[in-house]
Amino acid sequence: MTERASGVQADVFDVAVVGGGVVGCAAFREFTLAGARCVLLERNADLIDGASKGNSGLLHTGFDAKPGSLEARCVRDGYRTYLEVRERLNLPLMATGAILAAWTQEERERLPAIVARAQANHVTDVRQISREELRELEPGVSDAAVGGILAPGESIIDPWSAPFAYALQGVLNGGVVRRSTEVLGGRLVDGIWRLSTSKGSLGARVVINCAGNFGDLVEAIARPSPFTIRPRKGQFVIFDKSAFGLVRGILLPVPNERTKGVVVSRTAYGNLIVGPTAEDQEDRTKATVDRKQLMNLIAQGVRMVPALAGHQVTATYAGLRPATLETKDYVIEALPGQRWITASGIRSTGLTAALGIAKHLRGLYEENFETLAPLGDPVWPRVQNLSEGGPRRAFQAGRAEIVCHCEGVTRDDIEEALCEPLSARSLGGLKRRTRCMMGRCQGFYCSRRVLQIVGERIPDFTLPADSQDAAA
Amino acid sequence: MKEAVLIIGAGPAGLTAARCLHEAGVEQVEVLERNLEAGGLPQSCGHPGWGMMDLHRFMRGPSYARELVRRAAGVTISTGVTVTRLLPGGSVEVLDSGGLGTRSASAVLLTTGIRETPRPARLVSGTRPWGVTTTGAFQDMVYIGGMRPFKRPVIVGTEWVSFSALLTARHGGIRPVAMIEEASRITARRPADILARGLFGVPVLTRTRLTEILGTKRVEGVEIERDGKLSILDCDGVIFTGLFTPEATLVRTSHLALDEGTFGPAIDNHWRCSDPAYFAAGNVLRAVEHSGMAAAEGAAAARSVLRALRGDLPRPDEAVRVRTRGALAYAYPQRLCLGKEPIVLRARARVRLKGELRLTADDILLSRRRLEALPERRLTVKVDPAKLGGRNDLTLALE
């Protein structure tokens, strides 16, 4: 079941999913569990290395989505499905709820419309709250807040373990993952796609485009792309764990037409996060951070939560959301003649919606191509808990040496992440599987030890000459 | 003496304190060290420059660390043990290979040291490629790991530790392309810069700011600003040196008072934290002093711990507070229990400044001194309790 063993008989797959981000991983899982022979193709050395590595780690109810939109539907389904599967996959949930705060009278006047929209989205527990109630629920929020909305269902999850668990479940149930495999082109011949990739060619009866920031380029293999990806960069500041308690959950702004705005939130890893920015750009991979924007984010964070001022910054990062020029909704459709399904333009809600999108894709597949026979008794892997609240290996009796002290990562954690199936293939991949080097010292104490363990296990690990990223 | 003392951190301060307590007859001294080897940061610094002040020898870091461990013979040094929480009254929550537990002692001494400020906390712009590190990680990779993470890095900063990065690079066959410094002069004492240029052929660029890191997979260069002009410096790594900060995570997450100026625990002149069961010494108090001074503080704190075990320390609640004003980043001890002995306050300036350092008590001038202060240079002021009478607030100002 490893990538190498899949060789010969894997020549023609039922489904090829292009793109190993959260949507691709969820689709890969869905189709494998549905009984299809499925391959997941990822251009980077490791999964979850594009848009999906830089989100805010929130599980949205979809209360503020556009009613009736595909996004609203997939977010709702994704939210529900995550709650259904998370315990079996050992994925965390911090059901903190969110408060959407209004900072001006003008913003406060827009609150009733947001509550009405939540009702239209069937999120019925959302209600407006007074400034006094807001202060009672979130004592750390600035006095300048004039009122707000309570959204009890909004939650915090682990944005790395979730897609990894989806991919792992796919692999353990017979799916094939090929990394460092960029899809370069393809031809549909006698009902079978011949995809040419950077690692040779392969066949698939149906192709599913989950290529994120490369969605329109991959789409051009099937047709002139009707949509254009224009990546929207979001920068984030992660504060030290000492700031974790400054808010009790998630603090949202009143959204505008373009973005959800800057959020202050706890993270599953025990930090406090402020972000994202929203900056359109042409480049599909370059996610730079910018000092001015970071300082601006910190200032915004301090305005909302004044006590944040005394706390240290642990990390900064930027993610690229695959926004489309043509529409704000998801672009998900089947092209029956092309034996192709598109899942594109999935922005900040992708982490929440992924499992819902996957179900929707399967529906489109069965509607347009063939009915699938689900696996009778699929394997359910339990991934290592990375969240601060859940049990961590470092705290278990008989544990191995702690390598990363800031994040409590043991040698066993690192060695396991380097093992098949789905071993980490880059330093970034290793960090996202273990949290090593991601803490306040950013590798000051542990870089050498981590690299030594990696070197003992995998002599040809893509490091240091060819690693994807050294920071988060 | 039967009382138990726990020391958290087996670096120069902790090991020296442990030795002193043991020699003074405290039977139960245990040093808790989260790493597998005791010795602290000097272990990974393979070039000479250690031990001069406390051991009166000129040693390499690893030998110095080994010697400190050797001299602490008789003390229990428990490695691979992480302290996760400090509880009121001297109980600490520890994590060892048996899982989570608690230990209690009559006194707990915090000697958890320092770390450098890494790239993210400096809010540096650019991509996030491989090849961006701190001096500590760099030394550990080169001296202990035998690794060569890059060949032509740029060194950011000109503190003493920056020149240590230069020596480390030379040891590892790595040729730094430049050292850069935002200020108009280097932070370390001259002629370190002349040595850098002369011995190593590394240019030292002052009034220069790193504005952006470039490169996709690994560092391909940095953008620098000098005299308002931007240019690209070709390099394959970046070493962010210095800007040390106390490794005071345990304090931040505990009931102990943290000083917003030092970022370390607030202490009185007997090295006592706000909970009198806790003491602190060495670089966890503030960044940064050399290891010899950290060791000396460890010894001094050990003497205070001994007095505390004998019930011989003044009551902590009678202390007066020390405040800072003007261009001072901090001053410590933050609280003074006034007795007969003079007390030394240590302080640092935030910026380079020619001015007057004044100590006042309830607006009465006690001492004044004109000086030129430089950041990263220690300022000391002697407090004579006899002059204070019954006054309360002490203020140290640099203006």
PDB file of all heavy atoms in Angstrom, chain A residues 240-269:
ATOM      1  N   ASP A 240       2.623  33.754  21.863  1.00  0.00           N
ATOM      2  CA  ASP A 240       3.086  32.746  22.805  1.00  0.00           C
ATOM      3  C   ASP A 240       1.920  32.128  23.574  1.00  0.00           C
ATOM      4  O   ASP A 240       0.876  32.742  23.758  1.00  0.00           O
ATOM      5  CB  ASP A 240       4.053  33.405  23.795  1.00  0.00           C
ATOM      6  CG  ASP A 240       4.768  32.385  24.658  1.00  0.00           C
ATOM      7  OD1 ASP A 240       5.758  31.822  24.176  1.00  0.00           O
ATOM      8  OD2 ASP A 240       4.321  32.138  25.797  1.00  0.00           O
ATOM      9  N   LYS A 241       2.152  30.935  24.050  1.00  0.00           N
ATOM     10  CA  LYS A 241       1.126  30.215  24.814  1.00  0.00           C
ATOM     11  C   LYS A 241       0.672  31.004  26.047  1.00  0.00           C
ATOM     12  O   LYS A 241      -0.419  30.782  26.557  1.00  0.00           O
ATOM     13  CB  LYS A 241       1.644  28.847  25.238  1.00  0.00           C
ATOM     14  CG  LYS A 241       1.853  27.888  24.065  1.00  0.00           C
ATOM     15  CD  LYS A 241       2.335  26.546  24.564  1.00  0.00           C
ATOM     16  CE  LYS A 241       3.006  25.734  23.469  1.00  0.00           C
ATOM     17  NZ  LYS A 241       2.164  25.447  22.327  1.00  0.00           N
ATOM     18  N   SER A 242       1.533  31.920  26.511  1.00  0.00           N
ATOM     19  CA  SER A 242       1.155  32.734  27.674  1.00  0.00           C
ATOM     20  C   SER A 242      -0.074  33.586  27.354  1.00  0.00           C
ATOM     21  O   SER A 242      -0.769  34.029  28.260  1.00  0.00           O
ATOM     22  CB  SER A 242       2.319  33.627  28.087  1.00  0.00           C
ATOM     23  OG  SER A 242       2.670  34.495  27.029  1.00  0.00           O
ATOM     24  N   ALA A 243      -0.356  33.806  26.060  1.00  0.00           N
ATOM     25  CA  ALA A 243      -1.496  34.650  25.672  1.00  0.00           C
ATOM     26  C   ALA A 243      -2.778  33.837  25.472  1.00  0.00           C
ATOM     27  O   ALA A 243      -3.850  34.405  25.267  1.00  0.00           O
ATOM     28  CB  ALA A 243      -1.168  35.420  24.387  1.00  0.00           C
ATOM     29  N   PHE A 244      -2.651  32.525  25.532  1.00  0.00           N
ATOM     30  CA  PHE A 244      -3.786  31.632  25.225  1.00  0.00           C
ATOM     31  C   PHE A 244      -5.047  32.016  25.994  1.00  0.00           C
ATOM     32  O   PHE A 244      -6.149  32.041  25.451  1.00  0.00           O
ATOM     33  CB  PHE A 244      -3.388  30.191  25.555  1.00  0.00           C
ATOM     34  CG  PHE A 244      -4.453  29.161  25.312  1.00  0.00           C
ATOM     35  CD1 PHE A 244      -4.782  28.779  24.026  1.00  0.00           C
ATOM     36  CD2 PHE A 244      -5.107  28.563  26.383  1.00  0.00           C
ATOM     37  CE1 PHE A 244      -5.741  27.804  23.795  1.00  0.00           C
ATOM     38  CE2 PHE A 244      -6.073  27.593  26.164  1.00  0.00           C
ATOM     39  CZ  PHE A 244      -6.398  27.216  24.865  1.00  0.00           C
ATOM     40  N   GLY A 245      -4.887  32.327  27.278  1.00  0.00           N
ATOM     41  CA  GLY A 245      -6.050  32.566  28.122  1.00  0.00           C
ATOM     42  C   GLY A 245      -6.677  33.948  27.981  1.00  0.00           C
ATOM     43  O   GLY A 245      -7.670  34.242  28.636  1.00  0.00           O
ATOM     44  N   LEU A 246      -6.114  34.800  27.118  1.00  0.00           N
ATOM     45  CA  LEU A 246      -6.632  36.167  27.031  1.00  0.00           C
ATOM     46  C   LEU A 246      -8.026  36.234  26.421  1.00  0.00           C
ATOM     47  O   LEU A 246      -8.787  37.149  26.682  1.00  0.00           O
ATOM     48  CB  LEU A 246      -5.669  37.062  26.235  1.00  0.00           C
ATOM     49  CG  LEU A 246      -4.274  37.234  26.842  1.00  0.00           C
ATOM     50  CD1 LEU A 246      -3.452  38.188  26.000  1.00  0.00           C
ATOM     51  CD2 LEU A 246      -4.364  37.738  28.274  1.00  0.00           C
ATOM     52  N   VAL A 247      -8.332  35.284  25.554  1.00  0.00           N
ATOM     53  CA  VAL A 247      -9.722  35.151  25.102  1.00  0.00           C
ATOM     54  C   VAL A 247     -10.155  33.718  25.376  1.00  0.00           C
ATOM     55  O   VAL A 247      -9.331  32.814  25.484  1.00  0.00           O
ATOM     56  CB  VAL A 247      -9.927  35.486  23.597  1.00  0.00           C
ATOM     57  CG1 VAL A 247      -9.549  36.919  23.299  1.00  0.00           C
ATOM     58  CG2 VAL A 247      -9.170  34.539  22.697  1.00  0.00           C
ATOM     59  N   ARG A 248     -11.465  33.535  25.491  1.00  0.00           N
ATOM     60  CA  ARG A 248     -11.954  32.204  25.830  1.00  0.00           C
ATOM     61  C   ARG A 248     -12.207  31.360  24.589  1.00  0.00           C
ATOM     62  O   ARG A 248     -12.379  30.151  24.680  1.00  0.00           O
ATOM     63  CB  ARG A 248     -13.240  32.331  26.648  1.00  0.00           C
ATOM     64  CG  ARG A 248     -12.960  32.919  28.019  1.00  0.00           C
ATOM     65  CD  ARG A 248     -14.231  33.085  28.821  1.00  0.00           C
ATOM     66  NE  ARG A 248     -13.912  33.611  30.148  1.00  0.00           N
ATOM     67  CZ  ARG A 248     -14.829  33.996  31.022  1.00  0.00           C
ATOM     68  NH1 ARG A 248     -16.112  33.930  30.712  1.00  0.00           N
ATOM     69  NH2 ARG A 248     -14.463  34.450  32.203  1.00  0.00           N
ATOM     70  N   GLY A 249     -12.302  31.999  23.456  1.00  0.00           N
ATOM     71  CA  GLY A 249     -12.587  31.233  22.244  1.00  0.00           C
ATOM     72  C   GLY A 249     -12.146  31.981  21.008  1.00  0.00           C
ATOM     73  O   GLY A 249     -10.952  32.214  20.816  1.00  0.00           O
ATOM     74  N   ILE A 250     -13.115  32.364  20.192  1.00  0.00           N
ATOM     75  CA  ILE A 250     -12.843  32.996  18.902  1.00  0.00           C
ATOM     76  C   ILE A 250     -13.508  34.363  18.886  1.00  0.00           C
ATOM     77  O   ILE A 250     -14.676  34.493  19.243  1.00  0.00           O
ATOM     78  CB  ILE A 250     -13.434  32.137  17.758  1.00  0.00           C
ATOM     79  CG1 ILE A 250     -12.944  30.690  17.867  1.00  0.00           C
ATOM     80  CG2 ILE A 250     -13.104  32.722  16.411  1.00  0.00           C
ATOM     81  CD1 ILE A 250     -13.860  29.684  17.172  1.00  0.00           C
ATOM     82  N   LEU A 251     -12.741  35.360  18.485  1.00  0.00           N
ATOM     83  CA  LEU A 251     -13.275  36.716  18.395  1.00  0.00           C
ATOM     84  C   LEU A 251     -13.282  37.124  16.925  1.00  0.00           C
ATOM     85  O   LEU A 251     -12.228  37.263  16.309  1.00  0.00           O
ATOM     86  CB  LEU A 251     -12.389  37.648  19.215  1.00  0.00           C
ATOM     87  CG  LEU A 251     -12.913  39.035  19.492  1.00  0.00           C
ATOM     88  CD1 LEU A 251     -14.194  38.976  20.306  1.00  0.00           C
ATOM     89  CD2 LEU A 251     -11.855  39.838  20.230  1.00  0.00           C
ATOM     90  N   LEU A 252     -14.476  37.275  16.368  1.00  0.00           N
ATOM     91  CA  LEU A 252     -14.611  37.598  14.952  1.00  0.00           C
ATOM     92  C   LEU A 252     -14.977  39.067  14.786  1.00  0.00           C
ATOM     93  O   LEU A 252     -15.623  39.646  15.643  1.00  0.00           O
ATOM     94  CB  LEU A 252     -15.717  36.751  14.312  1.00  0.00           C
ATOM     95  CG  LEU A 252     -15.632  35.236  14.437  1.00  0.00           C
ATOM     96  CD1 LEU A 252     -16.956  34.610  14.001  1.00  0.00           C
ATOM     97  CD2 LEU A 252     -14.499  34.705  13.583  1.00  0.00           C
ATOM     98  N   PRO A 253     -14.573  39.666  13.642  1.00  0.00           N
ATOM     99  CA  PRO A 253     -15.038  41.016  13.344  1.00  0.00           C
ATOM    100  C   PRO A 253     -16.332  40.941  12.519  1.00  0.00           C
ATOM    101  O   PRO A 253     -16.732  39.863  12.087  1.00  0.00           O
ATOM    102  CB  PRO A 253     -13.905  41.582  12.503  1.00  0.00           C
ATOM    103  CG  PRO A 253     -13.377  40.390  11.770  1.00  0.00           C
ATOM    104  CD  PRO A 253     -13.628  39.179  12.637  1.00  0.00           C
ATOM    105  N   VAL A 254     -16.975  42.063  12.333  1.00  0.00           N
ATOM    106  CA  VAL A 254     -18.111  42.113  11.409  1.00  0.00           C
ATOM    107  C   VAL A 254     -17.526  42.010   9.998  1.00  0.00           C
ATOM    108  O   VAL A 254     -16.673  42.819   9.630  1.00  0.00           O
ATOM    109  CB  VAL A 254     -18.897  43.432  11.583  1.00  0.00           C
ATOM    110  CG1 VAL A 254     -20.017  43.527  10.558  1.00  0.00           C
ATOM    111  CG2 VAL A 254     -19.453  43.517  12.997  1.00  0.00           C
ATOM    112  N   PRO A 255     -17.930  40.998   9.234  1.00  0.00           N
ATOM    113  CA  PRO A 255     -17.282  40.805   7.926  1.00  0.00           C
ATOM    114  C   PRO A 255     -17.678  41.887   6.933  1.00  0.00           C
ATOM    115  O   PRO A 255     -18.748  42.491   7.070  1.00  0.00           O
ATOM    116  CB  PRO A 255     -17.812  39.441   7.476  1.00  0.00           C
ATOM    117  CG  PRO A 255     -19.098  39.260   8.213  1.00  0.00           C
ATOM    118  CD  PRO A 255     -18.979  40.013   9.498  1.00  0.00           C
ATOM    119  N   ASN A 256     -16.805  42.144   5.991  1.00  0.00           N
ATOM    120  CA  ASN A 256     -17.192  43.050   4.912  1.00  0.00           C
ATOM    121  C   ASN A 256     -17.404  42.234   3.640  1.00  0.00           C
ATOM    122  O   ASN A 256     -17.344  41.007   3.665  1.00  0.00           O
ATOM    123  CB  ASN A 256     -16.142  44.155   4.720  1.00  0.00           C
ATOM    124  CG  ASN A 256     -14.792  43.604   4.326  1.00  0.00           C
ATOM    125  OD1 ASN A 256     -14.686  42.579   3.653  1.00  0.00           O
ATOM    126  ND2 ASN A 256     -13.736  44.281   4.753  1.00  0.00           N
ATOM    127  N   GLU A 257     -17.611  42.908   2.544  1.00  0.00           N
ATOM    128  CA  GLU A 257     -17.927  42.224   1.291  1.00  0.00           C
ATOM    129  C   GLU A 257     -16.812  41.277   0.836  1.00  0.00           C
ATOM    130  O   GLU A 257     -17.045  40.272   0.189  1.00  0.00           O
ATOM    131  CB  GLU A 257     -18.190  43.262   0.195  1.00  0.00           C
ATOM    132  CG  GLU A 257     -19.639  43.668   0.083  1.00  0.00           C
ATOM    133  CD  GLU A 257     -20.560  42.454  -0.103  1.00  0.00           C
ATOM    134  OE1 GLU A 257     -20.503  41.845  -1.180  1.00  0.00           O
ATOM    135  OE2 GLU A 257     -21.314  42.103   0.836  1.00  0.00           O
ATOM    136  N   ARG A 258     -15.593  41.621   1.196  1.00  0.00           N
ATOM    137  CA  ARG A 258     -14.463  40.921   0.615  1.00  0.00           C
ATOM    138  C   ARG A 258     -13.922  39.792   1.502  1.00  0.00           C
ATOM    139  O   ARG A 258     -13.585  38.731   1.012  1.00  0.00           O
ATOM    140  CB  ARG A 258     -13.357  41.935   0.322  1.00  0.00           C
ATOM    141  CG  ARG A 258     -12.393  41.464  -0.733  1.00  0.00           C
ATOM    142  CD  ARG A 258     -11.663  42.617  -1.361  1.00  0.00           C
ATOM    143  NE  ARG A 258     -10.290  42.193  -1.614  1.00  0.00           N
ATOM    144  CZ  ARG A 258      -9.311  42.348  -0.764  1.00  0.00           C
ATOM    145  NH1 ARG A 258      -9.524  42.916   0.408  1.00  0.00           N
ATOM    146  NH2 ARG A 258      -8.097  41.934  -1.085  1.00  0.00           N
ATOM    147  N   THR A 259     -13.833  40.043   2.795  1.00  0.00           N
ATOM    148  CA  THR A 259     -13.214  39.034   3.660  1.00  0.00           C
ATOM    149  C   THR A 259     -13.965  38.919   4.970  1.00  0.00           C
ATOM    150  O   THR A 259     -14.789  39.758   5.320  1.00  0.00           O
ATOM    151  CB  THR A 259     -11.750  39.379   4.015  1.00  0.00           C
ATOM    152  OG1 THR A 259     -11.770  40.294   5.107  1.00  0.00           O
ATOM    153  CG2 THR A 259     -11.000  39.985   2.867  1.00  0.00           C
ATOM    154  N   LYS A 260     -13.611  37.877   5.699  1.00  0.00           N
ATOM    155  CA  LYS A 260     -14.152  37.699   7.043  1.00  0.00           C
ATOM    156  C   LYS A 260     -13.451  38.621   8.035  1.00  0.00           C
ATOM    157  O   LYS A 260     -13.879  38.735   9.171  1.00  0.00           O
ATOM    158  CB  LYS A 260     -13.957  36.240   7.478  1.00  0.00           C
ATOM    159  CG  LYS A 260     -14.938  35.261   6.856  1.00  0.00           C
ATOM    160  CD  LYS A 260     -14.615  33.859   7.350  1.00  0.00           C
ATOM    161  CE  LYS A 260     -15.585  32.816   6.833  1.00  0.00           C
ATOM    162  NZ  LYS A 260     -16.926  32.963   7.419  1.00  0.00           N
ATOM    163  N   GLY A 261     -12.347  39.237   7.626  1.00  0.00           N
ATOM    164  CA  GLY A 261     -11.653  40.175   8.503  1.00  0.00           C
ATOM    165  C   GLY A 261     -10.685  39.502   9.455  1.00  0.00           C
ATOM    166  O   GLY A 261     -10.470  38.294   9.407  1.00  0.00           O
ATOM    167  N   VAL A 262     -10.100  40.317  10.332  1.00  0.00           N
ATOM    168  CA  VAL A 262      -9.056  39.822  11.239  1.00  0.00           C
ATOM    169  C   VAL A 262      -9.682  39.191  12.496  1.00  0.00           C
ATOM    170  O   VAL A 262     -10.469  39.812  13.187  1.00  0.00           O
ATOM    171  CB  VAL A 262      -8.095  40.961  11.629  1.00  0.00           C
ATOM    172  CG1 VAL A 262      -7.126  40.502  12.706  1.00  0.00           C
ATOM    173  CG2 VAL A 262      -7.337  41.431  10.389  1.00  0.00           C
ATOM    174  N   VAL A 263      -9.267  37.963  12.739  1.00  0.00           N
ATOM    175  CA  VAL A 263      -9.799  37.166  13.831  1.00  0.00           C
ATOM    176  C   VAL A 263      -8.763  37.098  14.950  1.00  0.00           C
ATOM    177  O   VAL A 263      -7.558  37.042  14.675  1.00  0.00           O
ATOM    178  CB  VAL A 263     -10.083  35.732  13.303  1.00  0.00           C
ATOM    179  CG1 VAL A 263     -10.522  34.808  14.427  1.00  0.00           C
ATOM    180  CG2 VAL A 263     -11.126  35.772  12.196  1.00  0.00           C
ATOM    181  N   VAL A 264      -9.195  37.106  16.188  1.00  0.00           N
ATOM    182  CA  VAL A 264      -8.319  36.752  17.320  1.00  0.00           C
ATOM    183  C   VAL A 264      -8.873  35.454  17.874  1.00  0.00           C
ATOM    184  O   VAL A 264     -10.052  35.380  18.207  1.00  0.00           O
ATOM    185  CB  VAL A 264      -8.328  37.833  18.422  1.00  0.00           C
ATOM    186  CG1 VAL A 264      -7.442  37.408  19.590  1.00  0.00           C
ATOM    187  CG2 VAL A 264      -7.871  39.163  17.873  1.00  0.00           C
ATOM    188  N   SER A 265      -8.046  34.434  17.935  1.00  0.00           N
ATOM    189  CA  SER A 265      -8.581  33.136  18.344  1.00  0.00           C
ATOM    190  C   SER A 265      -7.537  32.308  19.067  1.00  0.00           C
ATOM    191  O   SER A 265      -6.339  32.432  18.830  1.00  0.00           O
ATOM    192  CB  SER A 265      -9.047  32.377  17.093  1.00  0.00           C
ATOM    193  OG  SER A 265      -9.367  31.039  17.410  1.00  0.00           O
ATOM    194  N   ARG A 266      -8.018  31.460  19.943  1.00  0.00           N
ATOM    195  CA  ARG A 266      -7.153  30.417  20.467  1.00  0.00           C
ATOM    196  C   ARG A 266      -6.831  29.451  19.339  1.00  0.00           C
ATOM    197  O   ARG A 266      -7.565  29.384  18.361  1.00  0.00           O
ATOM    198  CB  ARG A 266      -7.885  29.644  21.569  1.00  0.00           C
ATOM    199  CG  ARG A 266      -8.104  30.428  22.836  1.00  0.00           C
ATOM    200  CD  ARG A 266      -8.777  29.556  23.879  1.00  0.00           C
ATOM    201  NE  ARG A 266      -8.778  30.226  25.177  1.00  0.00           N
ATOM    202  CZ  ARG A 266      -9.118  29.639  26.311  1.00  0.00           C
ATOM    203  NH1 ARG A 266      -9.509  28.378  26.315  1.00  0.00           N
ATOM    204  NH2 ARG A 266      -9.086  30.304  27.444  1.00  0.00           N
ATOM    205  N   THR A 267      -5.727  28.695  19.481  1.00  0.00           N
ATOM    206  CA  THR A 267      -5.462  27.635  18.508  1.00  0.00           C
ATOM    207  C   THR A 267      -5.448  26.292  19.232  1.00  0.00           C
ATOM    208  O   THR A 267      -5.293  26.228  20.455  1.00  0.00           O
ATOM    209  CB  THR A 267      -4.091  27.802  17.804  1.00  0.00           C
ATOM    210  OG1 THR A 267      -3.056  27.434  18.734  1.00  0.00           O
ATOM    211  CG2 THR A 267      -3.875  29.211  17.321  1.00  0.00           C
ATOM    212  N   ALA A 268      -5.578  25.246  18.439  1.00  0.00           N
ATOM    213  CA  ALA A 268      -5.564  23.894  19.007  1.00  0.00           C
ATOM    214  C   ALA A 268      -4.230  23.603  19.671  1.00  0.00           C
ATOM    215  O   ALA A 268      -4.142  22.742  20.540  1.00  0.00           O
ATOM    216  CB  ALA A 268      -5.824  22.874  17.899  1.00  0.00           C
ATOM    217  N   TYR A 269      -3.184  24.331  19.263  1.00  0.00           N
ATOM    218  CA  TYR A 269      -1.844  24.066  19.789  1.00  0.00           C
ATOM    219  C   TYR A 269      -1.536  24.903  21.029  1.00  0.00           C
ATOM    220  O   TYR A 269      -0.393  24.928  21.501  1.00  0.00           O
ATOM    221  CB  TYR A 269      -0.799  24.307  18.707  1.00  0.00           C
ATOM    222  CG  TYR A 269      -1.198  23.743  17.368  1.00  0.00           C
ATOM    223  CD1 TYR A 269      -1.355  24.564  16.259  1.00  0.00           C
ATOM    224  CD2 TYR A 269      -1.473  22.380  17.223  1.00  0.00           C
ATOM    225  CE1 TYR A 269      -1.762  24.045  15.039  1.00  0.00           C
ATOM    226  CE2 TYR A 269      -1.884  21.860  16.013  1.00  0.00           C
ATOM    227  CZ  TYR A 269      -2.021  22.697  14.921  1.00  0.00           C
ATOM    228  OH  TYR A 269      -2.438  22.178  13.721  1.00  0.00           O
TER     229      TYR A 269
END
